[in-house]
Amino acid sequence: MLDLDRLRALHAVANHGSVSAAAEALHVTTSAVSQQLAKLERETGHKLLERNGRGIRLTDAAKLLVVHAEGILSLVEQAEADLEAHRGVVVGELAVAAFPTAIRGLMPAALASLRVAHPGLRVLVKEYDPSLSVPLVARGDIDLAIVQDWNNVPLPIPEGLVKGTICEDAADVALPSTHPLAHRDEVDLKELAGDAWISSTPGSICCDWLTHTLRSVDSEPHIDHMAYEFATQLALVAAGLGNAILPRLGRGTVPEGVRLVVLRQSLSRRVYAVWRHEAARRPAICEALDALRASAGAV
């Protein structure tokens, strides 16, 4: 009979590309993963890994076994979720990934309420950009990801994942108080064509979105400064170094020298949670969603 832990080790190697990366994802030693794979080779009578330059690759037998392992592990996760739902008690661990402003703007109140309501639940939070957290959920490394996308650029969600909306988050343009349009109550993006811009780091969702959005109004973006944190972006705006488009969640205190103006285009981002279909009945996920929505409503 095939051992579940050994199948999980092979599945992790297939997903992460190496024994060491699989060990890190499974929170065990590299030696432990190697031993599990060696035992699985003896059980199946097939060689599962072979050298490929400095790395390794799965044999045809291993690839076939990984397909079955995915189905087996999926059924196990679904069974565990059903048992948790049957017990009706919110306990255990819930690994959550979230982008920075969601951690700052939503998680503190949500975590505090979960701790009071469900002392047997341990929530572990890590900061990740949505482009990284969604694959982590799909692989099973994270239980729940708090992600975002923009109303004009949706984030693709892989098959097998479920998403639930937490809130809609409107965005405003932050202008230096010396900007010619800073006195306005509303501004059109086209009126800011040719301006210098401040955005998040390259490759992040917000940076890619700003580039797409400005080009959609025939304005080639001039992004002179890049910083991930909103507070840093606002400090650069206050110094007169450019404009920034910032959503309201987690924006923090607006410094002197910055004027927030409503955008005529009504730009907003959607904040939602993503989890695996097999885990949909887990009470911990349902309670976490309720707590996050309540936190968003309070904000």
Side-chain angles (χ1 to χ4, degrees), residues 97-108 125-130 146 148 206 228-230 249-250 269:
F99 59 94
T101 50
I103 292 180
R104 183 165 63 246
L106 296 177
M107 294 305 300
V125 179
K126 294 182 179 181
E127 184 178 297
Y128 283 104
D129 191 79
I146 312 306
Q148 59 165 330
C206 290
Y228 208 80
E229 287 294 331
F230 285 175
L249 176 65
R269 65 177 177 178

Side-chain angles (χ1 to χ4, degrees), residues 162-216:
V162 182
K163 70 177 183 179
T165 301
I166 295 173
C167 66
E168 190 93 3
D169 187 19
D172 306 301
V173 61
L175 301 175
S177 58
T178 55
H179 193 284
L181 302 180
H183 66 284
R184 297 263 294 275
D185 294 327
E186 185 181 78
V187 67
D188 193 294
L189 270 180
K190 290 183 178 180
E191 297 178 275
L192 302 173
D195 282 9
W197 289 90
I198 297 159
S199 183
S200 57
T201 50
S204 65
I205 282 181
C206 290
C207 184
D208 292 344
W209 168 81
L210 178 62
T211 300
H212 169 85
T213 300
L214 291 174
R215 285 175 176 165
S216 71

Side-chain angles (χ1 to χ4, degrees), residues 274-297:
V274 177
W275 62 94
R276 291 180 298 283
H277 176 76
E278 294 83 3
R281 293 195 65 202
R282 281 191 66 186
I285 287 178
C286 297
E287 292 298 317
L289 281 172
D290 287 345
L292 286 163
R293 287 167 177 156
S295 178

